[in-house]
Amino acid sequence: MLGVCYYPEHWDEARWETDARRMVELGIRFVRIGEFAWSRLEPARGQFAFEWLDRAMDILARAGLKIVLGTPTATPPKWLVDECPDIIPYDKDGKPRGFGSRRHYTFSSETWWKESKRIVEIVAERYGNHQGLVGWQTDNEYGCHDTIISWGPEDLKAFKRWLRMRYQSPDQLNEAWGSVFWSMELTSFDDVALPNLTVTEPNPATRLDFWRFHSDQVAAYDKMQCDIIRKHSPDRWITHNFMGFILDFDHFKVGDNLDLASWDSYPIGFVEKFPFSEAERNRWAETSHPDIAPFHHDLYRAVGNGRFWVMEQQPGPVNWAPWNPVPKPGMVRLWTWEAIAHGAEVVSYFRWRQATFAQEQMHAGLNLAGLDELSPGGLEAQRVAQELASLGVLPDTRKARVALVFDYQSYWTTVIQPQGKDFRYEELCFRWYEAARRLGLDIDFVRPGASLEGYDLVLVPCMTEVDEAAHAALKAATGTILIGARTGSRDRNFRIPDNLPPGSLSEMTGHRVIQVSTLRPGLSDPVSGAVAGNGIRWREYLQTDAEVLSTFANGDPALTKKGSVHYLACWPDEKLLAAAVRHVATKADIPIVEVPDHIRIRTRGDLSFAFNYGDSPWSIPADCEMVLGEAILAPQELSVFRLKP
Ligand code: GAL
């Protein structure tokens, strides 16, 4: 179940044989290669140099490794950029982004599509049936370095095309966007401009369409690569390596192209990226917050329709966050097992050996910089391999009892019109997830509109547009439902619904929202009743015929219930959120195991896993059979056990 990312082109060919042998000795079975190698595969247009990759793949395959090959499109070479400057992306200020790192292309460029098709076709044809090849990775990390949205001439051209298809006539576009406001009406699709460089805020409906347009392009671009690969490489699977906390495109739509999802897990790096408080950052600096990686494991299990890998696992300090501490001893092993507990089929470390040159010299590998000598992270990977071997085949992941509906468009909508500066969709979902995990619950992510049947509890932190499919799925849900603020607050054209929020959901929830107040940091509105705590950041004023379970200070409804549908009319602080999630989980009859903030548990089939991200020990529930580890869970340790029936 272990893999590694390897760059044969970074090392003298004389070392490849030894590298492959040492990988296998370590317990590694999968190796991902090739995703940045374009300049070595095609040094000049039409001049191909495949022999080195042939030899590398043969060596890896002979050693018994299964190969995952990346298409090299994340790094168009210099000659191509010079020849085709129209592939270059533009930043929001309208400045071109240059050659000299990676991801310097825009999804909008027709030239780029042509060039991508060409190289993918050539690589897929050559290696599609290689005996060592088991799967493909398309490109590398769509969205990394802020590269989904581009603001150049090619983007404008493609955006106009997309708008023509969607709206058919300028009148319909004006109507959808509400262009009569501020005299923004257009008489032809040629009048459309990019929604940047405006004097003040551009039209939010235009911005949302611009986001949707880019998101659609990513999915279509990925599908183009998948179609070519499938033609030349039958019986091999295809994945893409997604990222943490990148929400600029709808990952579910890209997932539809793939056989399985994968993602790149850098638990400590993400502590700096996520809007934690400074106190939390310091607390989790060397272990990561216990929900950062699991949140994504569960998300990508859904994106991959039940199947996911970790394609890149942090093996030690990384190089790209503002600060890059060494993980506490044991954490590389713990993260690997945590991924497995959440159903990962393979955990693949980034990278085999620390580089001694270029941008990522300070990024750890399984081997020390330049050497054939395992790093501390490499030694932990070795231990995991031995433990995995002793456990044999692991049971499959089961459907969880709790569903969390996750919606990329709600992120776009709330970024475009935050109303309160600190309304951050990903943070909200993360906190809801955290609250459920603190109750020991397993969670499945579900895309809007997908079936919610069979879930005992459905959490909807926020879904700004509830389209017909999402509405139908919620209506058909048989479990207890908890819906958060802002849900149903916009229609597909970014308008307030005719009957006020929550629009089409009003029958189910029994309320309408007549006012919204956003609260500065430090301000709050106390909530009391069946659940208590504080509303912070966002607070709604409801008129409701539902039962009122909790109220704000002035007696207004804060938590309501109609049938099994609960509605929480604010951004809850930690206490209120914990109480609300506990309340609905109890209503749903789901057994709860409250865990301290540094402990998490998770099941895979009949196996239970416990993880300790903190400094104090924790006792595993008494009546169980230990499979791995100890009944007293020490800091940075994990245990695997079976609950006795
Ligand atoms: C990922 C990327 C890798 C490498 C790694 C370093 O985002 O896919 O190529 O840059 O980060 O942590």
Side-chain angles (χ1 to χ4, degrees):
M1 295 177 80
L2 300 185
V4 74
C5 305
Y6 183 51
Y7 300 92
E9 69 274 26
H10 293 183
W11 309 105
D12 192 300
E13 192 167 335
R15 301 181 74 172
W16 295 353
E17 202 84 60
T18 315
D19 282 341
R21 178 177 49 75
R22 289 186 62 243
M23 286 175 198
V24 174
E25 281 168 8
L26 181 67
I28 282 172
R29 295 292 170 265
F30 295 87
V31 59
R32 185 201 64 182
I33 57 169
E35 79 278 12
F36 300 127
W38 196 337
S39 72
R40 284 293 169 98
L41 294 175
E42 191 184 15
R45 175 169 299 278
Q47 286 176 28
F48 294 100
F50 284 121
E51 295 70 22
W52 70 270
L53 186 55
D54 298 349
R55 291 195 297 277
M57 285 180 65
D58 290 346
I59 287 173
L60 295 168
R62 266 205 308 276
L65 291 157
K66 298 173 179 168
I67 300 168
V68 180
L69 187 58
T71 62
T73 44
T75 48
K78 179 77 168 100
W79 60 261
L80 178 59
V81 175
D82 288 347
E83 212 182 279
C84 316
D86 55 328
I87 72 170
I88 284 291
Y90 281 65
D91 70 14
K92 201 171 178 185
D93 296 327
K95 283 203 307 288
R97 303 178 76 179
F99 175 83
S101 62
R102 59 179 172 183
R103 302 213 56 75
H104 38 279
Y105 70 76
T106 169
F107 292 94
S108 305
S109 158
E110 288 180 304
T111 311
W112 175 243
W113 275 60
K114 202 172 95 218
E115 291 299 328
S116 299
K117 280 182 188 163
R118 189 180 64 83
I119 192 70
V120 173
E121 186 106 45
I122 288 167
V123 173
E125 219 174 354
R126 184 164 186 106
Y127 296 109
N129 294 301
H130 190 281
Q131 89 275 12
L133 183 82
V134 293
W136 290 88
Q137 173 187 299
T138 52
D139 202 285
N140 190 78
E141 291 192 339
Y142 295 135
C144 189
H145 319 302
D146 193 13
T147 50
I148 297 302
I149 300 195
S150 166
W151 311 81
E154 294 302 308
D155 306 295
L156 179 56
K157 247 199 276 176
F159 186 39
K160 286 178 182 169
R161 271 200 305 271
W162 185 90
L163 289 172
R164 261 198 193 99
M165 293 284 288
R166 187 177 172 92
Y167 294 111
Q168 307 289 315
S169 75
D171 284 350
Q172 297 201 56
L173 176 130
N174 286 327
E175 173 59 26
W177 286 0
S179 308
V180 61
F181 195 80
W182 289 351
S183 278
M184 294 182 293
E185 281 163 308
L186 308 176
T187 52
S188 123
F189 285 101
D190 293 332
D191 292 346
V192 170
L194 295 173
N196 64 340
L197 307 177
T198 47
V199 170
T200 181
E201 195 188 331
N203 186 330
T206 313
R207 284 185 71 190
L208 180 59
D209 271 347
F210 195 55
W211 224 317
R212 287 171 171 152
F213 145 74
H214 277 294
S215 176
D216 285 358
Q217 289 199 137
V218 179
Y221 176 82
D222 185 76
K223 180 168 186 306
M224 171 270 282
Q225 292 211 6
C226 290
D227 289 346
I228 295 172
I229 292 169
R230 290 208 168 94
K231 191 168 74 190
H232 295 291
S233 191
D235 306 326
R236 267 69 172 188
W237 48 256
I238 308 177
T239 191
H240 173 75
N241 58 334
F242 296 101
M243 298 184 71
F245 297 122
I246 294 281
L247 290 89
D248 284 333
F249 64 98
D250 188 333
H251 292 41
F252 290 113
K253 288 194 179 157
V254 174
D256 290 341
N257 303 329
L258 307 172
D259 298 293
L260 57 103
S262 66
W263 83 284
D264 298 345
S265 180
Y266 293 94
I268 287 187
F270 295 145
V271 169
E272 293 286 348
K273 293 243 151 159
F274 186 78
F276 286 122
S277 67
E278 282 303 297
E280 283 179 297
R281 284 206 176 118
N282 289 343
R283 165 118 199 251
W284 306 116
E286 296 165 303
T287 58
S288 185
H289 182 290
D291 293 310
I292 285 268
F295 178 90
H296 293 94
H297 297 323
D298 291 341
L299 169 62
Y300 289 120
R301 203 175 57 250
V303 169
N305 249 312
R307 295 190 61 193
F308 85 101
W309 284 31
V310 172
M311 189 58 87
E312 298 182 11
Q313 170 63 59
Q314 174 168 0
V318 301
N319 63 301
W320 44 260
W323 289 274
N324 298 290
V326 170
K328 281 200 176 159
M331 287 315 295
V332 172
R333 169 176 171 255
L334 185 149
W335 294 329
T336 310
W337 274 108
E338 177 96 66
I340 290 168
H342 288 258
E345 294 179 10
V346 170
V347 180
S348 159
Y349 298 93
F350 183 90
R351 49 186 276 157
W352 172 242
R353 184 188 288 109
Q354 183 171 346
T356 53
F357 53 90
Q359 280 92 326
E360 293 179 349
Q361 309 177 18
M362 294 298 288
H363 193 297
L366 293 184
N367 286 274
L368 299 175
L371 301 181
D372 292 348
E373 190 181 331
L374 291 182
S375 64
L379 292 167
E380 291 191 25
Q382 188 173 43
R383 178 162 169 209
V384 177
Q386 288 157 1
E387 290 169 338
L388 276 168
S390 76
L391 252 62
V393 179
L394 298 178
D396 288 340
T397 305
R398 290 187 194 139
K399 181 169 175 152
R401 296 182 67 176
V402 182
L404 188 148
V405 180
F406 191 76
D407 175 32
Y408 289 89
Q409 184 175 278
S410 294
Y411 167 76
W412 311 336
T413 308
T414 50
V415 167
I416 289 168
Q417 201 169 74
Q419 184 70 0
K421 192 176 165 181
D422 48 9
F423 195 105
R424 286 181 288 253
Y425 176 77
E426 74 282 26
E427 187 182 351
L428 184 70
C429 291
F430 180 81
R431 294 305 187 188
W432 281 51
Y433 177 86
E434 178 188 39
R437 292 256 295 153
R438 288 288 304 279
L439 301 175
L441 305 179
D442 288 350
I443 299 159
D444 285 347
F445 280 62
V446 177
R447 72 200 281 182
S451 168
L452 295 163
E453 274 169 57
Y455 287 106
D456 296 319
L457 177 60
V458 174
L459 303 174
V460 187
C462 167
M463 182 172 17
T464 48
E465 179 199 344
V466 180
D467 67 11
E468 268 173 43
H471 184 229
L474 279 167
K475 254 192 120 162
T478 45
T480 302
I481 301 177
L482 177 62
I483 297 174
R486 284 189 100 156
T487 299
S489 58
R490 290 293 176 276
D491 73 3
R492 68 195 295 264
N493 294 325
F494 214 106
R495 286 172 184 245
I496 296 172
D498 291 342
N499 59 344
L500 299 183
S504 63
L505 279 188
S506 62
E507 237 173 78
M508 280 177 71
T509 61
H511 78 272
R512 57 181 199 150
V513 179
I514 56 159
Q515 286 195 104
V516 165
S517 184
T518 57
L519 310 178
R520 312 193 82 254
L523 298 184
S524 60
D525 195 341
V527 172
S528 58
V531 301
N534 286 289
I536 53 175
R537 303 191 196 195
W538 182 280
R539 189 274 208 217
E540 293 176 350
Y541 290 71
L542 308 191
Q543 289 175 336
T544 186
D545 56 32
E547 185 184 341
V548 177
L549 300 181
S550 293
T551 52
F552 292 110
N554 70 349
D556 280 358
L559 178 69
T560 65
K561 171 180 182 293
K562 183 170 174 186
S564 56
V565 182
H566 300 70
Y567 187 83
L568 185 58
C570 61
W571 182 301
D573 73 352
E574 191 181 340
K575 182 169 170 227
L576 179 59
L577 181 56
V581 175
R582 194 186 308 108
H583 181 87
V584 288
T586 310
K587 277 264 164 316
D589 251 336
I590 304 179
I592 283 170
V593 184
E594 285 199 47
V595 290
D597 67 350
H598 61 289
I599 302 293
R600 291 295 182 273
I601 55 181
R602 164 80 203 178
T603 58
R604 175 169 173 155
D606 64 341
L607 292 180
S608 295
F609 295 74
F611 300 93
N612 189 342
Y613 286 79
D615 296 327
S616 49
W618 188 70
S619 305
I620 307 294
D623 209 16
C624 62
E625 170 208 339
M626 295 307 296
V627 176
L628 182 75
E630 305 294 330
I632 305 288
L633 190 61
Q636 287 84 61
E637 268 296 339
L638 63 107
S639 296
V640 187
F641 50 96
R642 262 187 210 97
L643 293 171
K644 292 208 176 122

